[in-house]
Amino acid sequence: MSLSLRGLLRFQESGLLVVILVLGAFLTAFSGTVRAPLFQQGPDGTRERVFITDANGERTPAFVERNKFLNAQNLAQLAKDTSFIAIMAVGMAFVIIAGGIDLSVGSIYALASVAGALVLNHFGPGGPAGDIGLAGSLAGAAVCLGTALVCGLTNGGLIVALRVHPFIVTLGTMAVFRGVAFVATQGQSVGGFPQSFRDLIRIEVGQGLSVMPLLVMIAVTVVGWVVLSRLAAGRRVYAIGGNELASRFSGIRIERVKLGVYLMSALAAGIAALLSLGYYGGATSGDGQGYELSVIAAAVVGGASLSGGRGSALGVVLGALIIQMINSGIVILGIDQNYSQIIIGSVVIAAVVLDNVNSWLARRRLQKASEG
Amino acid sequence: MSPPPQIEFRGIAKRFPGVQALDGVSFSVAPGSCHALIGENGAGKSTLGKILAGILSADAGTLLLEGRPITPATPLEARALGIAMVHQELAFCPNLSVAENLCLGDLPTRRGGWVDRAALHRRARALLAEIGADLDPARLIGSLSTAQEQLVQIAAAIGTGARVIVMDEPSSSLSAGETRELFRLVRSLTARGITLVYVSHRLEELFALCDTLTVLRDGRHVWTGPIRQTTPGEVVTRMIGRELRVETPTHLTQTLGAEVLRVEDLSSPGRFSGVELSLRAGEVVGLAGLVGAGRSETLQAIFGLDPRAEGRVFVRGQPLRLGSVDAALAAGLGLLPEDRKRQGLVLGLTCRENVSLAALPALSRFGWVRRAAERTQARHFSERLRVKAPNIESLVAGLSGGNQQKIALAKWLARSCDILLIDEPTRGVDVGAKAEIYPLLDELAREGKAILVVSSELPELLGLCRRILVMRAGRLVGDVPRADATEASLMRLMAGVAADCAA
């Protein structure tokens, strides 16, 4: 009993869960309600409106008061929005834990989307090759993910070979990748994908819950968690982020690990791009603008330390959820959309300040312990 | 009644974690003298200089300036009292010019905050001319040589009205010509009545320059007197004579195995040159030398960390590719670096994760870390090395210096390295942990590991090693068997004092 309790307390992400619960409770309490028409399952299995017949025999449609935040539709929307950011944030966690930064994820997302879209359009119903079924969809997916990996290889390669700070390299490629996407599409939106591809990703259950992004997010999180915490490769990521020099002195191939983390970040952006293709059915070079900020914010709020060496896959996913809950809360509470940037920015800074206070306290505890 | 001394130390004590750096040091410095402060590495001479200059503050004792007690808490306060320090660490902003650095605290400005460049350069030129330095004030500090930067430091000190200047190893990175220039400047400063506290361990230099000398040993004051009344040999005798804390190791009696490491003509430009050494299985060889002699650099070059290293290194007869840590690791070498917090350990990871850091390939199957094996290994080595930590999941950052060192050593044992290059095994380690580390190294040697150990503590080398190599100014100058090695003989080799001086 005491063992499981200790296990739970040591669970680093428990603080984030508390924040999420408090935020959820707050939004539920203050969001107010909305009148929604009531449906029921008809005898033939279809959804039909419920009517109330009053004493005078008049039939009036029935409504229910539903909480604006705590309702199935809103939560399904929140889950979908979180998925895209969370997937990319898991990739970003690798980079940040290794002590780097990747500003180009939004542009990789756009370029991978556009590249995949051009292929899917080629094999789409109106495309030159016509719909050839599964093969066309697979080709589109392969090109989408492959493009992302090439972007990651470019980032990692430049950082390792030129020994330039990752901030500079990815700031440059952020513009380059988006520029390539723009040139490739001439700024036009690309759509007209095979229907089977779209149907696969738009599978819904219950009241409009798209499960595909959610399932992919869970899969990416599990893979990220396993790699970071169970594989030797992940241990090396923590080691070089914690102390690059000592890692080099221990025979870790720094260059290889760095290349790997930028590939992971790009691959995650590619996966998110692939989902968006199916979900939205189109892509433009302007997609994913500003995603890098949301993704980095999610990682930082989720406990990844920008000085490297600390963070977890689960933490950044919870961080992404917090960021999206705040975004959604701004809409629900009827706050002017223009405030959302201010609020998100402040939350990120507050998270970093809290993290600093926390590590300062930890240092002091350690100092006391070593003196005692 | 004679005038009060310029500086008087009364019972100065300073403790760093795990080591008593200064222990009740008392002596005085006469006005206008050039006072030498000498002692072995770690004797406390730099610490004393830093306390005087306000960089460190003493735990106990009194500091008197012209008879009045002072407590400079910052370098700025010491400056205001007329005490300045010239040291090796970066004292200036390398990205700014000489003139800007000289006037940084009080930039001449015109109305509206514009820097008055003409006045700036005029003032800087005057300050430099004061000490006879011929330097362009517009040059960036970063582009100057060490000697030139020292000149600027001295000019800055004089410019702020310093009457006492502490010089910490001022000649350690100067060429012969630059050193002559420095001597000329030192003499001209004392001629102007400025008091100099000159920290060095180069005996010949002190005898050429200084008039009074103070010897420190293990943080204690040993002797102060006029330099004319002593000889370099006497000074060496006073510097050494620390207590021998190492029990005679048992590995000395075993027969040595085959040669496992041979280094031929190993050089690295500007660091060391022509190093030759050989190491056999079960042998513990020491590498002695003063700070800057190239000992750590030699170890790092053997371990593949110096891309500019040239020469030949053979491990068990096989040539080792230089400049590659991978090759060194594959050949079974392990380096326990001098600065374990920066180079040896990942402080934010646990004991377990640090122990397995270099052994991950052996511990993982298809890329998965076998956690049970990893835990078993970490437990095994922390028990064997008697690491005192709450458990193997404790963060290394929270351990004491001695226990951190054991974890750093365990990292190489976990990789089963059989040639260990150990740089300062007991730096920043308390006495208790030292007494545990020595038998441990002895035990490793008995198991047939070959150990090359660099240390600034001569008693440590004398106690541990079968043979002691001595380096001076980047060259190997001696190979002393245990039977012939004494602190005095090693110290003479390290400092380059001829044997007849010690008579």
Side-chain angles (χ1 to χ4, degrees):
Chain A
M1 174 58 212
S2 74
L3 198 81
S4 69
L5 193 69
R6 275 222 324 262
L8 199 69
L9 286 175
R10 264 180 50 193
F11 183 53
Q12 288 167 335
E13 288 77 15
S14 46
L16 291 169
L17 282 173
V18 171
V19 172
I20 289 169
L21 290 177
V22 169
L23 205 56
F26 176 83
L27 289 175
T28 308
F30 290 94
S31 63
T33 53
V34 63
R35 261 160 63 91
L38 187 64
F39 288 90
Q40 70 175 16
Q41 199 89 7
D44 54 349
T46 56
R47 267 152 55 94
E48 55 186 32
R49 292 290 296 269
V50 178
F51 289 91
I52 297 169
T53 316
D54 65 10
N56 303 332
E58 272 183 61
R59 268 160 54 92
T60 50
F63 286 90
V64 281
E65 294 280 311
R66 280 199 311 195
N67 189 288
K68 272 197 203 166
F69 174 77
L70 201 64
N71 70 68
Q73 260 160 0
N74 184 57
L75 292 183
Q77 173 80 14
L78 179 64
K80 188 226 38 168
D81 289 342
T82 303
S83 302
F84 288 94
I85 296 299
I87 289 168
M88 295 165 77
V90 171
M92 184 65 77
F94 279 81
V95 175
I96 289 182
I97 292 170
I101 189 83
D102 186 353
L103 298 176
S104 69
V105 285
S107 298
I108 295 177
Y109 173 89
L111 183 54
S113 291
V114 161
L118 289 172
V119 173
L120 287 170
N121 174 271
H122 188 78
F123 294 114
D131 196 339
I132 55 167
L134 188 63
S137 300
L138 282 179
V143 168
C144 176
L145 298 181
T147 306
L149 284 175
V150 170
C151 293
L153 200 63
T154 311
N155 279 338
L158 287 172
I159 288 161
V160 168
L162 303 180
R163 291 169 194 258
V164 179
H165 195 282
F167 189 95
I168 305 297
V169 170
T170 57
L171 185 68
T173 54
M174 175 167 100
V176 171
F177 295 154
R178 195 171 291 284
V180 172
F182 185 84
V183 170
T185 57
Q186 279 124 26
Q188 300 297 306
S189 166
V190 183
F193 303 159
Q195 195 56 42
S196 57
F197 174 71
R198 297 213 56 202
D199 289 346
L200 176 69
I201 290 179
R202 288 182 71 89
I203 295 172
E204 284 185 6
V205 298
Q207 299 190 333
L209 177 66
S210 307
V211 283
M212 216 51 181
L214 214 55
L215 288 177
V216 173
M217 175 186 79
I218 292 168
V220 167
T221 310
V222 169
V223 169
W225 177 77
V226 165
V227 173
L228 281 173
S229 69
R230 289 289 181 270
L231 299 196
R235 187 70 61 75
R236 295 192 178 101
V237 172
Y238 282 98
I240 75 164
N243 188 340
E244 190 172 326
L245 195 59
S247 303
R248 200 158 76 90
F249 272 58
S250 303
I252 291 175
R253 296 185 176 118
I254 310 287
E255 288 75 19
R256 207 183 275 188
V257 178
K258 281 191 176 170
L259 200 61
V261 297
Y262 289 97
L263 280 174
M264 289 303 265
S265 166
L267 180 63
I271 292 172
L274 186 60
L275 283 174
S276 82
L277 287 177
Y279 195 83
Y280 298 111
T284 76
S285 59
D287 286 347
Q289 206 121 36
Y291 272 22
E292 56 282 343
L293 284 185
S294 303
V295 169
I296 293 168
V300 170
V301 169
S305 162
L306 280 176
S307 46
R310 253 169 350 104
S312 75
L314 186 54
V316 299
V317 169
L318 296 179
L321 181 57
I322 291 176
I323 296 283
Q324 285 305 332
M325 280 175 86
I326 293 170
N327 269 329
S328 138
I330 288 165
V331 177
I332 289 169
L333 297 179
I335 301 171
D336 188 337
Q337 271 292 293
N338 296 317
Y339 286 92
S340 93
Q341 305 254 7
I342 301 175
I343 293 170
I344 298 281
S346 310
V347 165
V348 170
I349 292 173
V352 174
V353 170
L354 274 177
D355 183 54
N356 281 350
V357 170
N358 190 29
S359 49
W360 177 75
L361 286 174
R363 255 204 313 280
R364 241 185 32 170
R365 264 203 311 278
L366 283 175
Q367 223 161 25
K368 281 220 179 101
S370 69
E371 276 167 9
Chain B
M1 185 149 156
S2 61
Q6 184 78 29
I7 301 284
E8 189 180 346
F9 297 97
R10 271 191 205 158
I12 300 288
K14 177 76 188 173
R15 198 180 156 73
F16 293 121
V19 58
Q20 186 76 39
L22 289 173
D23 189 2
V25 172
S26 304
F27 66 93
S28 50
V29 178
S33 68
C34 181
H35 196 111
L37 208 50
I38 193 167
E40 280 189 292
N41 300 334
K45 47 195 195 307
S46 290
T47 308
L48 195 62
K50 284 179 179 165
I51 286 173
L52 182 56
I55 297 167
L56 296 173
S57 52
D59 298 339
T62 325
L63 196 58
L64 293 103
L65 177 71
E66 290 164 345
R68 287 174 291 113
I70 55 164
T71 49
T74 65
L76 218 60
E77 286 181 37
R79 272 281 163 96
L81 293 163
I83 304 167
M85 186 165 186
V86 174
H87 47 99
Q88 300 293 324
E89 287 119 66
L90 214 51
F92 289 125
C93 310
N95 55 334
L96 298 181
S97 74
V98 170
E100 283 163 334
N101 271 294
L102 279 174
C103 304
L104 207 51
D106 178 30
L107 280 175
T109 50
R110 289 198 299 250
R111 233 165 8 135
W114 293 80
V115 174
D116 186 344
R117 295 182 64 82
L120 179 74
H121 283 132
R122 212 164 37 240
R123 211 194 288 174
R125 223 172 275 123
L127 285 171
L128 290 168
E130 187 85 351
I131 59 160
D134 181 25
L135 267 177
D136 179 2
R139 278 182 67 181
L140 294 187
I141 288 284
S143 72
L144 300 183
S145 68
T146 313
Q148 289 169 323
E149 201 190 317
Q150 268 177 12
L151 285 179
V152 182
Q153 286 195 39
I154 293 168
I158 301 292
T160 52
R163 285 163 301 146
V164 178
I165 298 180
V166 184
M167 300 182 110
D168 191 7
E169 308 276 2
S171 63
S172 62
S173 48
L174 302 189
S175 70
E178 288 170 336
T179 306
R180 272 196 300 280
E181 276 297 296
L182 176 74
F183 285 10
R184 197 189 51 73
L185 181 59
V186 165
R187 291 200 184 94
S188 81
L189 290 176
T190 45
R192 301 165 63 156
I194 286 167
T195 307
L196 287 173
V197 176
Y198 196 98
V199 179
S200 178
H201 42 218
R202 296 197 174 172
L203 277 171
E204 71 273 48
E205 196 171 299
L206 300 180
F207 275 83
L209 271 180
C210 301
D211 40 43
T212 327
L213 183 133
T214 289
V215 182
L216 295 180
R217 183 174 72 217
D218 281 341
R220 292 202 181 83
H221 176 252
V222 177
W223 189 81
T224 295
I227 212 154
R228 275 173 280 105
Q229 293 178 10
T230 187
T231 64
E234 277 177 27
V235 173
V236 165
T237 317
R238 289 193 183 105
M239 281 163 67
I240 60 176
R242 294 194 195 178
E243 291 163 55
L244 195 69
R245 290 181 300 256
V246 189
E247 282 178 42
T248 308
T250 52
H251 72 82
L252 294 168
T253 52
Q254 69 183 355
T255 30
L256 294 180
E259 182 187 72
V260 288
L261 179 73
R262 190 164 81 247
V263 174
E264 288 178 359
D265 196 22
L266 189 66
S267 303
S268 177
R271 295 180 180 164
F272 57 87
S273 62
V275 172
E276 312 246 335
L277 61 90
S278 144
L279 196 60
R280 295 168 66 179
E283 192 177 29
V284 182
V285 174
L287 194 50
L290 297 172
V291 169
R295 302 164 300 168
S296 306
E297 290 80 356
T298 304
L299 290 195
Q300 291 181 6
I302 297 173
F303 193 61
L305 283 164
D306 183 350
R308 296 191 301 163
E310 285 167 18
R312 288 177 303 281
V313 175
F314 299 89
V315 177
R316 283 178 222 87
Q318 297 298 310
L320 179 72
R321 188 154 57 90
L322 289 178
S324 158
V325 178
D326 277 349
L329 281 172
L333 270 76
L335 170 69
L336 199 61
E338 176 182 12
D339 187 347
R340 66 180 159 266
K341 288 190 180 172
R342 245 166 46 78
Q343 304 165 330
L345 296 166
V346 184
L347 293 176
L349 293 183
T350 62
C351 295
R352 166 178 58 83
E353 289 164 326
N354 270 287
V355 170
S356 63
L357 199 58
L360 284 176
L363 274 178
S364 44
R365 199 185 313 139
F366 309 119
W368 287 72
V369 179
R370 289 181 292 141
R371 292 169 62 89
E374 189 190 17
R375 270 194 293 269
T376 311
Q377 186 189 56
R379 251 184 234 119
H380 169 75
F381 284 110
S382 32
E383 272 164 31
R384 188 172 157 201
L385 304 188
R386 289 175 286 279
V387 175
K388 287 182 205 74
N391 58 60
I392 55 166
E393 301 300 328
S394 314
L395 290 186
V396 166
L399 302 186
S400 71
N403 287 307
Q404 287 185 349
Q405 187 70 313
K406 290 177 184 174
I407 294 288
L409 182 60
K411 182 174 78 176
W412 296 122
L413 300 184
R415 217 197 130 89
S416 24
C417 290
D418 43 19
I419 305 169
L420 291 169
L421 311 170
I422 302 183
D423 200 352
E424 302 287 358
T426 59
R427 161 112 1 130
V429 163
D430 62 72
V431 181
K434 275 185 188 178
E436 289 184 17
I437 286 175
Y438 298 138
L440 214 58
L441 296 180
D442 182 27
E443 202 178 308
L444 293 174
R446 267 206 321 266
E447 286 171 16
K449 298 205 188 295
I451 301 176
L452 182 59
V453 50
V454 163
S455 175
S456 293
E457 303 210 24
L458 290 179
E460 187 166 294
L461 293 181
L462 288 166
L464 274 173
C465 303
R466 205 180 262 254
R467 223 154 34 91
I468 299 170
L469 307 172
V470 182
M471 285 186 84
R472 182 173 72 237
R475 291 188 168 275
L476 221 49
V477 293
D479 182 347
V480 189
R482 183 182 182 90
D484 303 342
T486 62
E487 274 200 74
S489 65
L490 293 176
M491 198 45 161
R492 277 195 295 270
L493 278 168
M494 284 158 64
V497 179
D500 48 73
C501 289

